[in-house]
């Protein structure tokens, strides 16, 4: 499934939601979690992920902390207080958009 543009447009909300579900995550962990949850249908590249993480951090929605793990420094990302407030509204906004898109495209729910 070719969905790079769709992922790019919803990457911030994906990151915020994952961080709201987990106390903290590092970049590679985020990419692997998305890949596992979607059975490989969605894959986030490092080239897309890290600029999004840096922007979210610059916007004050996430923070980061470094920890030494196995002799290497690993950067973990966490939701900030503003990020915790924002994730709910962004999920509501995305749900509304998906509902309207479904109406416009006359999509019927799939039963798998």
């Amino acid at each position: 499934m070719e969905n790079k543009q769709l992922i790019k447009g919803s990457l911030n909300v994906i990151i915020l939601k994952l961080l709201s579900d987990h106390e903290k995550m590092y970049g590679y962990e985020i990419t692997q979690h998305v890949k596992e949850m979607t059975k490989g249908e969605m894959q986030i590249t490092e080239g897309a992920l890290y600029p999004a993480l840096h922007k979210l951090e610059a916007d004050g929605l996430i923070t980061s902390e470094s920890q030494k793990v196995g002799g290497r420094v690993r950067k973990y990302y966490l939701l900030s207080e503003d990020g915790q407030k924002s994730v709910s509204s962004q999920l509501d906004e995305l749900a509304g958009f998906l509902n309207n898109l479904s109406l416009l495209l006359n999509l019927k729910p799939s039963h798998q």
Side-chain angles (χ1 to χ4, degrees), residues 32-97:
Q32 293 307 298
H33 200 76
V34 168
K35 186 177 176 180
E36 288 170 17
M37 288 180 71
T38 64
K39 295 180 176 54
E41 287 291 316
M42 289 178 68
Q43 296 186 33
I44 299 173
T45 65
E46 289 182 15
L49 177 66
Y50 287 101
L53 287 169
H54 296 148
K55 172 108 173 67
L56 288 169
E57 190 169 17
D59 291 345
L61 298 178
I62 65 173
T63 61
S64 63
E65 63 182 37
S66 296
Q67 290 182 357
K68 202 163 197 163
V69 178
R72 296 181 59 189
V73 175
R74 182 177 286 167
K75 190 172 186 177
Y76 285 91
Y77 297 91
L78 308 88
L79 274 184
S80 67
E81 193 173 309
D82 286 344
Q84 291 171 356
K85 294 174 187 172
S86 177
V87 71
S88 179
S89 65
Q90 287 197 31
L91 286 171
D92 288 345
E93 187 179 324
L94 182 59
F97 174 78

Side-chain angles (χ1 to χ4, degrees), residues 14-31:
I14 291 169
I15 293 169
L16 292 174
K17 175 62 173 147
L18 285 173
L19 292 177
S20 75
D21 291 345
H22 301 84
E23 183 180 342
K24 60 185 176 183
M25 297 179 85
Y26 56 96
Y28 180 76
E29 183 179 21
I30 293 170
T31 63

